[in-house]
């Protein structure tokens, strides 16, 4: 599905031919002009038509149709193909969702292809049209703007993840017994961070290549901007690594709390079992009812046995209390 199509000349949107082939031919014949075509989840037939008009590489077209690609940058003889993974965080469900943005960049055209609902490109064209000095740098300006927007969305998602993780950390270290479902939530957070890292970490190398000028794109004036985007991405990746380490520490702390609580419970059970063992032992001895037991014929025998049980239990209770077992 074509979302939008326009011809830009010297950074300004202009009226171009309605036919895609004519628009591309006119852009190639006009210095400083190029066509920006925006697509959303195109079918194989739709992308085949676009590929025929723009002369896209068949391997890149196959990747663009199938989606679910790893972030990457591929250069062909007369074009560049780049894949970026978008990330959206949903605090209500504590879940991370991903989408994809793919770009074909050529001499007089740029094609953006979106997959998935979590796409930060809505409104990007309108914002860029307010900056003709940026659009005047050609198709690579769109590449920079898309990469910058995607990385900024990473920062927003990372901030939301950090806030939820702070709440989880406070819950783990709150006074009282550790909750049984905290470990499950921690593992779920680690799964979300893994999905996040799969989107952001592989993008570092393509952005570095673009910013260092190892590619035919972008032009020299745009490379400092891409270096800035690469720096922001490095910050995101460092934060994600820090969150993952913090989650591991929280998990270890929770497991240690559970272990300590279990040890406390076992000590209390052992202490009460020890208190119950003494009267059981005395009652068992006197329950044998041997004739030659002298206490059986004494009027003070029964009260003495009861007093002995109580006295021993009181002494044991005080000993266990002082040692922290009760």
């Amino acid at each position: 599905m074509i979302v939008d199509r326009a011809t830009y000349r010297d950074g300004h949107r202009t009226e171009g031919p309605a036919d895609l082939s004519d628009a591309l031919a006119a852009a190639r014949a006009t210095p400083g002009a190029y066509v920006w075509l925006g697509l959303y989840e195109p079918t194989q037939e739709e992308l085949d038509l676009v590929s025929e008009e723009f002369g896209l590489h068949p391997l890149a077209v196959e990747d663009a149709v199938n989606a679910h690609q790893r972030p990457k940058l591929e250069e062909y003889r007369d074009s560049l193909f780049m894949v970026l993974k978008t990330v959206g965080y949903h605090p209500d469900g504590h879940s991370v969702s991903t989408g994809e943005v793919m770009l074909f960049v050529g001499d007089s055209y740029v094609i953006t292809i979106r997959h998935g609902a979590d796409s930060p490109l809505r409104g990007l064209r309108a914002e860029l049209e307010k900056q003709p000095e940026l659009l005047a740098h050609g198709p690579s300006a769109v590449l920079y703007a898309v990469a910058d927007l995607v990385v900024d969305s990473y920062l927003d998602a990372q901030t939301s993840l950090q806030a939820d993780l702070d709440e989880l950390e406070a819950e783990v270290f709150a006074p009282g017994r550790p909750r049984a479902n905290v470990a499950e939530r921690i593992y779920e957070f680690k799964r979300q961070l893994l999905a996040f890292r799969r989107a952001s970490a592989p993008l570092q190398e393509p952005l570095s290549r673009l910013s260092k000028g190892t590619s035919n794109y972008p032009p020299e004036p745009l490379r400092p901007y891409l270096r800035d985007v690469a720096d922001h991405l490095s910050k995101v990746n460092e934060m994600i690594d820090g969150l993952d380490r913090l989650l591991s520490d929280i998990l270890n702390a929770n497991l240690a709390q559970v272990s300590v609580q279990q040890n406390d419970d076992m000590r209390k059970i052992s202490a009460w079992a020890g208190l119950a063992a003494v009267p059981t032992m005395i009652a068992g001895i006197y329950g044998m009812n041997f004739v030659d037991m002298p206490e059986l014929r004494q009027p003070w025998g029964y009260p003495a046995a009861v007093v002995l049980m109580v006295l021993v239990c009181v002494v044991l209770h005080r000993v266990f209390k002082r040692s922290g077992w009760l």
Side-chain angles (χ1 to χ4, degrees), residues 159-204:
T159 301
S160 298
L161 268 171
Q162 178 72 61
D164 282 355
L165 185 56
D166 290 341
E167 293 181 3
L168 179 61
E169 183 180 17
E171 181 179 345
V172 168
F173 291 102
R177 294 179 62 89
R179 298 184 180 180
N181 64 340
V182 170
E184 181 179 351
R185 290 180 56 193
I186 294 174
Y187 276 116
E188 185 60 30
F189 260 103
K190 289 184 75 69
R191 288 172 59 89
Q192 304 307 322
L193 283 178
L194 178 60
F196 201 142
R197 183 183 284 110
R198 286 173 177 170
S200 64
L203 186 58
Q204 192 71 59

Side-chain angles (χ1 to χ4, degrees), residues 20-245:
L20 191 58
S21 298
D22 295 340
L24 181 59
R28 284 174 171 165
T30 306
Y34 59 94
V35 175
W36 180 1
L37 177 65
L39 303 175
Y40 178 72
E41 297 186 352
T43 63
Q44 180 69 60
E45 293 75 14
E46 291 171 337
L47 205 51
D48 284 343
L49 292 174
V50 173
S51 175
E52 183 178 353
E53 296 292 343
F54 288 86
L56 306 179
H57 197 282
L59 292 177
V61 171
E62 181 182 356
D63 289 344
V65 172
N66 295 331
H68 305 294
Q69 300 296 316
R70 189 174 183 267
K72 61 181 179 178
L73 176 67
E74 295 181 352
E75 293 184 68
Y76 300 99
R77 183 171 56 86
D78 54 356
S79 65
L80 178 148
F81 176 63
M82 188 171 185
V83 179
L84 302 97
K85 299 281 285 187
T86 61
V87 172
Y89 182 65
H90 309 282
D92 295 339
H94 305 291
S95 62
V96 169
S97 59
T98 59
E100 292 180 34
V101 177
M102 303 175 180
L103 297 100
F104 291 90
V105 180
D107 56 345
S108 300
Y109 66 86
V110 56
I111 303 172
T112 55
I113 302 174
R114 296 189 291 119
H115 289 274
D118 290 300
S119 173
L121 299 190
R122 297 183 183 90
L124 175 63
R125 188 186 292 261
E127 289 298 322
L128 280 178
E129 289 175 356
K130 298 176 183 177
Q131 307 176 59
E133 69 283 355
L134 179 59
L135 283 175
H137 288 293
S140 295
V142 179
L143 172 64
Y144 153 71
V146 171
D148 185 51
L149 191 61
V150 169
V151 172
D152 284 345
S153 71
Y154 290 169
L155 287 170
D156 294 338
Q158 184 272 329
T159 301
S160 298
L161 268 171
Q162 178 72 61
D164 282 355
L165 185 56
D166 290 341
E167 293 181 3
L168 179 61
E169 183 180 17
E171 181 179 345
V172 168
F173 291 102
R177 294 179 62 89
R179 298 184 180 180
N181 64 340
V182 170
E184 181 179 351
R185 290 180 56 193
I186 294 174
Y187 276 116
E188 185 60 30
F189 260 103
K190 289 184 75 69
R191 288 172 59 89
Q192 304 307 322
L193 283 178
L194 178 60
F196 201 142
R197 183 183 284 110
R198 286 173 177 170
S200 64
L203 186 58
Q204 192 71 59
E205 188 268 339
L207 282 179
S208 296
R209 285 171 56 190
L210 289 173
S211 63
K212 292 177 181 177
T214 58
S215 166
N216 294 329
Y217 302 90
E220 179 62 33
L222 280 178
R223 290 173 187 170
Y225 293 91
L226 283 164
R227 281 196 293 270
D228 183 64
V229 177
D231 288 341
H232 289 173
L233 181 61
S234 297
K235 179 181 178 181
V236 170
N237 288 330
E238 290 172 0
M239 289 180 176
I240 293 300
D241 290 340
L243 290 178
D244 186 62
R245 290 192 296 270

Side-chain angles (χ1 to χ4, degrees), residues 247-299:
L247 272 174
S248 297
D249 293 340
I250 293 175
L251 178 60
N252 291 333
N254 178 250
L255 294 177
Q257 285 180 325
V258 172
S259 178
V260 170
Q261 186 63 52
Q262 289 176 342
N263 289 337
D264 289 341
D265 293 341
M266 287 302 299
R267 285 189 298 181
K268 291 179 180 179
I269 293 173
S270 300
W272 286 113
L275 290 173
V278 174
T280 301
M281 179 189 67
I282 297 175
I285 293 174
Y286 281 93
M288 291 184 288
N289 294 324
F290 290 125
V291 177
D292 58 351
M293 295 179 69
E295 293 84 355
L296 296 178
R297 305 185 185 89
Q298 302 297 330

